[in-house]
Every structure is written in C-alpha cells, then in structure tokens.
Amino acid sequence: MSALLCRLEEIEDGGSKGPIPVEGKDIFLVRQGHAVYGYVNACPHIYASLEFMPDEFLDDSGEYIVCATHGALFRIEDGECVAGPCKGDMLTPVTLTVKDGEVRLAA
Ligand code: FES
C-alpha cells in the first residue's frame, strides 16, 4: 500500500499543504477541487524551498505556486515556471493518487 500523505479535506480547496517529508525530500500539495498536485519543494534553479510559511505555497490570486524568495510563478497543473529566474524550467512532480478521500503517493 502506498504512503498516506493526508486526507483530502486536510487541504483547503484552492489551497496548499506542506512541506511534508517523504523519502528524504520535502514535498507540497496543491488542491483544486478533487484534484491534488504534488511537487518536490525545491525551485529548479537553486533548489530553495518555495513557501512563505507552512501551507502557503500559492500567490494571492491562488492561481500560481509562488517562490517566496523571488515571486517566481509556477503553473499549478504542471509546475512550469512562467515568470522568474527559472522561467521555462519545471518543478519536480510527485505522482499521487486520490481515492476514498485519501491522498497517497502513487506506488
Ligand atoms: S529561489 Fe528559485 S525561483 Fe526563487
């Protein structure tokens, strides 16, 4: 059975959760309705963690993941940096399953 990360309702809809330590890395989760996206918590250019505070990975609009250091913006759906020093680079995705209200690492 793959590792349970949290229950879906523990992530605010339109919000984010993390960092969560998993297999020696920190990851974070972003929820959009029933979809949850997961990424390693490291920007692609200097591998800095992204959050402003725990569970605060999104910009004010809630439309992008934001780097608290530079304000670099990353698309929630695929982790591509669309503005900032690593424009065009990608966050490292974490494959998840969401089933029966549980968010798990995919096996
Ligand atoms: S520290 Fe790398 S995008 Fe801001």
Side-chain angles (χ1 to χ4, degrees), residues 43-50 67-72 74 81 84-86:
C43 76
H45 86 297
I46 58 168
Y47 304 104
S49 54
L50 296 169
C67 161
T69 305
H70 297 107
F74 300 84
C81 180
C86 45

Side-chain angles (χ1 to χ4, degrees), residues 3-99:
L4 176 65
L5 297 173
C6 67
R7 293 199 55 81
L8 183 62
E9 69 258 20
E10 291 175 61
I11 315 170
E12 185 186 344
D13 192 3
S16 58
K17 184 172 182 60
I20 302 171
V22 173
E23 297 172 355
K25 301 182 272 242
D26 281 339
I27 70 166
F28 66 95
L29 308 174
V30 179
R31 177 177 170 191
Q32 306 235 291
H34 291 286
V36 181
Y37 302 90
Y39 295 100
V40 175
N41 184 21
C43 76
H45 86 297
I46 58 168
Y47 304 104
S49 54
L50 296 169
E51 77 277 17
F52 172 60
M53 294 199 316
D55 302 337
E56 299 278 348
F57 287 83
L58 302 181
D59 70 346
D60 288 343
S61 72
E63 288 181 40
Y64 292 96
I65 297 160
V66 64
C67 161
T69 305
H70 297 107
L73 300 175
F74 300 84
R75 270 200 306 260
I76 291 171
E77 295 78 11
D78 63 5
E80 181 173 343
C81 180
V82 295
C86 45
K87 189 167 181 204
D89 290 343
M90 313 288 287
L91 296 173
T92 303
V94 177
T95 309
L96 307 171
T97 62
V98 183
K99 188 168 175 238

